Amino acid sequence: MPYLIVAVVLVGVLCLLNLLLTVGVIRRLRKQAASAASLPPMEDGLAVGEEIPEFAATTTDGEPISDELIDGPALIGFFSPSCEPCRELMPRFIEHARRTPAAVLAVVVTDSDSDQEAVADVERLAEVARVVVEAPHGAIQGAFQVAGYPTVFEIGADRRVADNNPVLPATVRA
């Protein structure tokens, strides 16, 4: 009988400990959900046919860039140095940018300006595009509703999205 009492008390203590740990996990999840809710919502990107949104930024050369300066066909790419698909797409994006008469804008998304991979990406993209470096959930990403990387938009002469394949528009693949 004393073994049974010890076993019941031990199971009770373990259940109480499990309950306390579960409450702690729930509190942490609620805290994370509240902090995530304060971030701007990101969608799947602008749909084909939508007009380019208002945005303003400064390129790495100190040149101001905005939606008003994009007055014709354009190619706009969003890349992150920590993203493997971005590494695979970037050479094709650069090659296409060299061949296109359209204006080219590249947005490099990074948490740190001193990130060596970001610096290398900016240098490569600066050969063929105006480059903007911005933090995650930045103004241009919010305007274009970019949720993942890489994302490439092709803008037509009418200032509307002609193609929005999140990886690579059909014209870039060709």
Side-chain angles (χ1 to χ4, degrees):
M1 186 72 165
Y3 293 116
L4 184 59
I5 294 172
V6 170
V8 169
V9 169
L10 183 61
V11 168
V13 169
L14 287 175
C15 286
L16 198 58
L17 180 63
N18 187 22
L19 180 64
L20 288 173
L21 291 173
T22 302
V23 168
V25 168
I26 290 171
R27 291 179 113 189
R28 180 166 288 193
L29 288 174
R30 283 187 180 164
K31 223 182 253 187
Q32 287 177 349
S35 67
S38 67
L39 295 173
M42 293 297 208
E43 298 171 14
D44 292 337
L46 296 177
V48 172
E50 285 189 67
E51 190 169 343
I52 60 171
E54 292 181 12
F55 69 89
T58 304
T59 66
T60 54
D61 294 334
E63 172 190 2
I65 182 86
S66 70
D67 59 298
E68 295 171 355
L69 296 174
I70 298 177
D71 57 355
L75 184 66
I76 302 173
F78 293 83
F79 301 94
S80 176
S82 60
C83 141
E84 188 59 37
C86 294
R87 298 241 164 273
E88 295 171 10
L89 174 67
M90 197 174 297
R92 289 186 287 162
F93 179 85
I94 291 171
E95 183 59 35
H96 181 70
R98 281 195 176 105
R99 292 179 295 168
T100 186
V104 181
L105 174 65
V107 179
V108 177
V109 180
T110 181
D111 287 329
S112 169
D113 291 335
S114 63
D115 181 6
Q116 294 299 329
E117 290 177 347
V119 171
D121 288 349
V122 168
E123 289 173 359
R124 289 174 59 199
L125 290 165
E127 296 173 10
V128 295
R130 290 184 256 176
V131 181
V132 174
V133 176
E134 71 177 12
H137 302 285
I140 300 177
Q141 296 162 73
F144 282 87
Q145 301 171 0
V146 173
Y149 311 103
T151 298
V152 178
F153 293 96
E154 187 167 336
I155 309 299
D158 59 354
R159 296 177 41 90
R160 295 190 178 278
V161 176
D163 198 350
N164 69 344
N165 186 315
V167 176
L168 198 57
T171 55
V172 178
R173 280 189 225 110

